[in-house]
Amino acid sequence: LVTTAMLTPHESLRLNQKRGLLAAVAGNLMFAPGLVDIYDVSEDCLNPVIQSSTPTGLIGHESGFSPDGNTYFVGSAGGTTIVALDVSNPLLPVPIWTGNYSAHGMEISDDGNRLYVAAVGANGFSTPELIILDISEIQSRVLNPTVTEISRLGWTPVSIPQLAIPFTTDGHAYLLETDEFGGGSEVGAARIIDINDESNPFEVANLR
């Protein structure tokens, strides 16, 4: 794949299995023009079909795909932006919301109503955070949607948050958060965060 975003996707390459859409945004460590490329691989993954290549991502670095395959989120930790793209018609992606968050990795709940952001903190890479956002108005396609911040959580030792992956055990909700390299005296590791009460997340295990 030789379109711009696929040549330099950084950490943004995402496949939505339900719809067979493969998407990426052009990115690098900090900033890059947010060119978003979408391919259809539903019929034959050996022959992806380009759907669109558009400057709709603002600034690129990482991304997230809603489980229903209708919303593609573009995040930039260095650019402090999240953009929600309506890709229900992959031929014509439409930005429907932009937020001011230093988003690194992003994962979405199964119902599409929560965005779990592994974020650079307010004081830079030395203050990692998990941010839980209510994105139900994006999911339900409310005109000019409002996104509400539910909670934030920091932790030590310090590193760079990478992903916060939701999972459940015996009906109890958790996130598996993994850190990237560096940023402090110890390299990144992982932790399990209890989010059964979304307004009060807390770490229950450190996987070091």
Side-chain angles (χ1 to χ4, degrees):
L1 303 181
V2 294
T3 48
T4 301
M6 292 300 175
L7 287 173
T8 177
H10 199 58
E11 297 168 338
S12 71
L13 189 66
R14 292 278 184 157
L15 171 68
N16 182 268
Q17 295 183 347
K18 183 173 183 177
R19 298 190 62 203
L21 294 179
L22 182 69
V25 59
N28 56 29
L29 285 175
M30 295 298 286
F31 301 100
L35 296 171
V36 175
D37 294 345
I38 303 175
Y39 284 78
D40 188 331
V41 296
S42 61
E43 296 298 323
D44 181 4
C45 63
L46 294 178
N47 294 285
V49 179
I50 182 71
Q51 301 296 290
S52 56
S53 184
T54 59
T56 50
L58 196 60
I59 302 172
H61 186 109
E62 282 214 32
S63 69
F65 229 139
S66 63
D68 63 11
N70 290 324
T71 311
Y72 182 69
F73 292 87
V74 175
S76 172
T80 65
T81 56
I82 300 177
V83 177
L85 297 178
D86 184 338
V87 295
S88 53
N89 178 3
L91 299 173
L92 188 64
V94 178
I96 55 176
W97 175 79
T98 301
N100 182 23
Y101 293 94
S102 296
H104 204 189
M106 294 172 288
E107 298 292 331
I108 296 92
S109 61
D110 288 343
D111 61 8
N113 290 328
R114 296 292 184 267
L115 186 66
Y116 305 111
V117 182
V120 175
N123 296 316
F125 288 107
S126 64
T127 55
E129 292 181 299
L130 162 72
I131 304 175
I132 302 178
L133 299 177
D134 181 340
I135 56 169
S136 55
E137 291 195 4
I138 292 176
Q139 177 67 13
S140 60
R141 292 301 188 263
V142 172
L143 186 63
N144 298 320
T146 296
V147 171
T148 303
E149 185 174 313
I150 298 174
S151 58
R152 293 186 180 224
L153 176 70
W155 52 81
T156 55
V158 170
S159 190
I160 302 173
Q162 184 79 64
L163 287 173
I165 303 167
F167 70 97
T168 58
T169 298
D170 296 328
H172 200 100
Y174 299 95
L175 295 174
L176 173 62
E177 192 281 329
T178 61
D179 279 2
E180 199 179 355
F181 61 85
S185 60
E186 297 187 66
V187 296
R191 59 207 38 81
I192 296 175
I193 298 168
D194 187 313
I195 58 166
N196 224 43
D197 177 0
E198 294 178 306
S199 64
N200 185 35
F202 59 94
E203 185 177 328
V204 294
N206 191 310
L207 310 180
R208 180 168 293 281

